[in-house]
Amino acid sequence: MFRPKSMQKTIFDHDVYLPKERLAALEKTWAGPFRHKVLPLIDEEPFRPFYHPETGRPNVPVATLICLCVLKELHNLTDREVLGSLAFDLRWQYALDLNAVEAPVCQKTLHTFRTLVATNGKAREIFSSLTGGIIEAAGLSTDTQRLDSTHITSNMANLSRLALFVRTIETFVWNLERRHSELSGKLPRLYGKVYRERAGYFADVKSSRARRRLGKVAGHLFFLVDRFRGHPEITKLKSYRLMARVLEEQCHVESGDGGRVSLKGPGEIPADSLQNPSDPDATYGRKGKGYKVSLTETCVAENPVQVITDVSVAGAHTSDQNDVPAVIARLDEAGRKPVALVADAGYGSGENIVDAAERAVTLTAPITSGAPVNPEKMQLSDFTTTADGTRVLSCIKGHTPISCKPAGGGKAVAAIFGKAHCSDCELLPICLVKRRKGGAYRLRYKLAQMATSRRREEQETTDFKERYKIRSGIEATISEADRVTGLKRVWTRGKDRVSMVVYLKALAINVKRYIHRELEKATTAFLCHVPTHIRTRMRSFLLWNPSCREDFPSAGRPIAA
């Protein structure tokens, strides 16, 4: 039965039985701002449909479970450590507004709630809702944001090619014996002996002999796939489908002669191939096996604190080039669309610049890829055009075109120049115009090509370099997420669950920054009334007692009177 968090006070609440001195001490820790600023931002109503409205035992409040998930990622704890902290740490109970009777939570309850969040796409909703609340409460501006990506790995082993084959077969043989023992007993004894009784036998081999054993294992893989190919029940097993996937991605199967199997070369294996049967969604990219996480955060100088505004998880093989339109669309949907978006060269392309401009966003990203610039030829940016590049105003010599029309479905422009101006022009050998029948000359280009040419010229200016400098700050955010929450190595597997964890870790960073800001405000307000000589002594004390800095985070910096 759905039951929202009750605001009714009891005699067991901390506000009732704790001395004022203890309550004041709690307010100076992270628990105070969390209870008063973060907890009220959680909306439990979206979770009501997942619980029966009238029957059943009342659920643990959704707000409590969300807070536990966020604090788990914020402190990078295990479930046992989280539940232990909730049961025995007064700060956790005070932060979540729970008394000692309400504090104990079953680990199964927490696990079931995470499964619900991961399988129903609620993680993004939780992230977006709380982040929006923080932005509104702190009065943050989202006009300028920066974007970058990082590589992460799930909780899976880094398997060699031989180990991948062996692990996949072992998983299938084990499932077959457990679910269909009669079929397992009909397999040649080799499969039960090697892949069940001596698990890991084929994978535990020196690299000099791995190639020879890999051929044998590939033959075993094909035998199992081919033997049960038409079986209606076996083909539904996940382990069988993974075997068939590995065979298709890693091997060539020749028809005739019983199906001869040969291994594909490294260049023939697709980047989105299976890396580990325990995590079928992980792929291979230039940074390794796993996933790619894109982070977008505010970077407005006037903001008292910067927050992560958008997160996405994709395969490690995906390119950053495809992220810009999707990021802007998600930010627009959430009501946080920036005016300017700053990103590195991986996101810079003419297509992205044009697409962002159509969405009223200025993309500041250098361009380093594509065909090299020929210094002996004229560039598109040498022609004078309108700001959006859809109309040519004049050439480098100042001659206006006879006509200028959209082409290519609006994605290109075609401008016609007169014969009288172009035929005798000394720049004609290096110009981009082409002669047409009838003597006229035509300049045709795509809008993305014009944007690329302009950006190559613009990115050498001092103004662009000054605007671009702010991008490097997101590297510190990625480092913070890794150091504080363990972003680079998440504790679960599968894209849905990995995405859930990444959303919660990003939200944990936002909560951490927001809480720290609230603590600074409270400390500043207190220290403004403290005489100067006492503040000087406090700074000296904190210099030699680092463990006390949490209570006075801003005491070591100058404070306005």
Side-chain angles (χ1 to χ4, degrees):
M1 182 175 67
F2 179 77
R3 179 185 64 180
K5 185 172 179 59
S6 175
M7 296 292 105
Q8 182 69 36
K9 299 298 180 181
T10 69
I11 61 173
F12 301 105
D13 288 338
H14 305 95
D15 298 341
V16 176
Y17 76 88
L18 280 181
K20 293 183 179 180
E21 294 78 8
R22 295 286 299 279
L23 288 175
L26 283 171
E27 288 292 337
K28 293 179 182 179
T29 67
W30 63 268
F34 193 98
R35 174 173 180 164
H36 302 302
K37 300 294 184 179
V38 177
L39 190 59
L41 298 178
I42 299 177
D43 183 14
E44 298 179 292
E45 284 302 314
F47 292 87
R48 183 182 291 273
F50 298 102
Y51 299 91
H52 196 282
E54 298 178 357
T55 63
R57 182 179 178 181
N59 65 292
V60 174
V62 172
T64 299
L65 296 174
I66 291 177
C67 290
L68 289 178
C69 291
V70 173
L71 291 175
K72 170 184 170 68
E73 305 305 336
L74 177 59
H75 298 288
N76 198 19
L77 304 175
T78 63
D79 283 357
R80 179 172 295 183
E81 291 171 335
V82 168
L83 299 178
S85 297
L86 180 64
F88 304 111
D89 194 326
L90 187 59
R91 292 173 299 180
W92 282 60
Q93 296 176 12
Y94 187 77
L96 274 62
D97 194 14
L98 299 173
N99 57 49
V101 178
E102 300 169 327
V105 174
C106 177
Q107 184 176 2
K108 178 64 176 177
T109 300
L110 184 60
H111 173 76
T112 302
F113 179 76
R114 279 202 306 260
T115 302
L116 183 152
V117 170
T119 55
N120 291 277
K122 287 294 182 180
R124 177 183 288 277
E125 188 174 332
I126 293 172
F127 169 82
S128 183
S129 176
L130 265 70
T131 299
I134 292 174
I135 291 174
E136 183 178 355
L140 306 181
S141 171
T142 59
D143 287 347
T144 305
Q145 301 184 39
R146 51 196 173 199
L147 168 67
D148 202 0
S149 65
T150 186
H151 176 79
I152 69 170
T153 57
S154 61
N155 189 22
M156 68 174 189
N158 190 2
L159 301 179
S160 64
R161 193 176 184 184
L162 176 59
L164 171 64
F165 279 56
V166 173
R167 184 72 61 85
T168 306
I169 295 176
E170 287 177 351
T171 303
F172 172 75
V173 172
W174 182 84
N175 282 334
L176 186 67
E177 181 179 338
R178 185 168 64 93
R179 295 171 179 265
H180 303 276
S181 57
E182 69 285 356
L183 294 178
S184 176
K186 296 179 181 179
L187 287 177
R189 177 166 173 74
L190 168 70
Y191 294 90
K193 182 178 180 180
V194 174
Y195 294 103
R196 285 290 292 134
E197 299 175 11
R198 300 174 62 187
Y201 166 77
F202 276 105
D204 185 17
V205 63
K206 294 181 179 180
S207 57
S208 58
R209 300 181 61 189
R211 184 74 181 180
R212 184 182 304 173
R213 287 196 174 181
L214 186 58
K216 292 182 180 180
V217 175
H220 297 165
L221 181 70
F222 171 73
F223 172 81
L224 292 173
V225 172
D226 186 62
R227 183 181 182 94
F228 298 103
R229 192 181 303 276
H231 197 286
E233 297 183 12
I234 302 300
T235 52
K236 293 180 181 179
L237 294 178
K238 180 181 178 181
S239 56
Y240 176 85
R241 296 198 301 270
L242 290 177
M243 279 202 313
R245 177 181 171 184
V246 171
L247 182 66
E248 180 182 359
E249 294 171 344
Q250 302 276 348
C251 304
H252 292 293
V253 178
E254 301 176 6
S255 59
D257 297 333
R260 184 178 178 183
V261 180
S262 60
L263 297 171
K264 290 184 177 181
E268 299 178 276
I269 302 173
D272 59 348
S273 60
L274 184 70
Q275 306 300 315
N276 192 311
S278 64
D279 191 350
D281 299 324
T283 60
Y284 182 81
R286 63 182 183 86
K287 295 182 180 180
K289 303 175 182 181
Y291 298 88
K292 184 192 75 171
V293 173
S294 296
L295 297 176
T296 310
E297 72 167 351
T298 60
C299 54
V300 180
E302 292 76 16
N303 283 350
V305 62
Q306 310 298 345
V307 296
I308 299 173
T309 56
D310 182 73
V311 184
S312 65
V313 179
H317 69 289
T318 58
S319 171
D320 291 341
Q321 286 288 322
N322 302 323
D323 289 352
V324 173
V327 168
I328 297 176
R330 288 194 299 268
L331 290 173
D332 191 12
E333 182 182 359
R336 298 191 281 269
K337 188 177 75 170
V339 176
L341 182 63
V342 187
D344 64 14
Y347 300 90
S349 69
E351 290 80 2
N352 285 340
I353 294 172
V354 172
D355 185 87
E358 292 176 350
R359 302 169 185 264
V361 177
T362 301
L363 176 62
T364 303
I367 294 178
T368 58
S369 59
V373 177
N374 186 355
E376 298 181 357
K377 295 285 290 185
M378 191 180 297
Q379 304 302 316
L380 281 174
S381 57
D382 294 330
F383 290 84
T384 304
T385 65
T386 55
D388 57 4
T390 57
R391 185 171 181 82
V392 180
L393 302 179
S394 65
C395 68
I396 194 172
K397 299 289 288 186
H399 302 303
T400 59
I402 300 173
S403 66
C404 185
K405 298 179 180 180
K411 298 294 184 180
V413 175
I416 305 299
F417 288 87
K419 177 181 178 181
H421 297 306
C422 294
S423 58
D424 297 331
C425 181
E426 66 275 14
L427 299 179
L428 183 60
I430 63 172
C431 190
L432 299 178
V433 297
K434 303 295 181 181
R435 186 173 180 178
R436 303 181 65 197
K437 293 181 179 180
Y441 290 81
R442 184 181 72 166
L443 171 69
R444 192 182 191 279
Y445 61 86
K446 296 180 180 179
L447 295 178
Q449 292 174 328
M450 176 59 76
T452 300
S453 181
R454 284 179 171 178
R455 180 53 51 86
R456 290 186 186 276
E457 181 178 348
E458 179 189 9
Q459 66 192 30
E460 301 301 326
T461 63
T462 304
D463 178 66
F464 181 89
K465 293 178 180 179
E466 285 295 320
R467 288 187 286 116
Y468 184 66
K469 283 196 305 185
I470 200 171
R471 187 216 67 85
S472 60
I474 199 169
E475 301 288 354
T477 298
I478 294 174
S479 175
E480 178 186 8
D482 184 32
R483 288 182 289 104
V484 175
T485 70
L487 176 66
K488 295 294 185 70
R489 175 80 177 186
V490 298
W491 50 268
T492 188
R493 296 185 290 265
K495 185 177 179 180
D496 289 341
R497 297 181 66 86
V498 168
S499 298
M500 175 197 67
V501 172
V502 170
Y503 282 123
L504 292 174
K505 289 182 182 294
L507 179 59
I509 293 297
N510 290 343
V511 169
K512 168 182 171 291
R513 292 177 175 181
Y514 183 45
I515 289 175
H516 186 73
R517 172 60 183 170
E518 292 300 317
L519 287 173
E520 282 189 331
K521 287 169 58 179
T523 306
T524 302
F526 166 75
L527 292 177
C528 284
H529 302 286
V530 177
T532 304
H533 68 282
I534 296 180
R535 276 188 278 171
T536 303
R537 292 181 181 178
M538 290 180 64
R539 294 191 184 101
S540 178
F541 172 77
L542 293 173
L543 178 64
W544 298 102
N545 296 272
S547 61
C548 300
R549 293 175 188 169
E550 181 181 354
D551 294 336
F552 299 98
S554 61
R557 297 195 293 273
I559 299 175

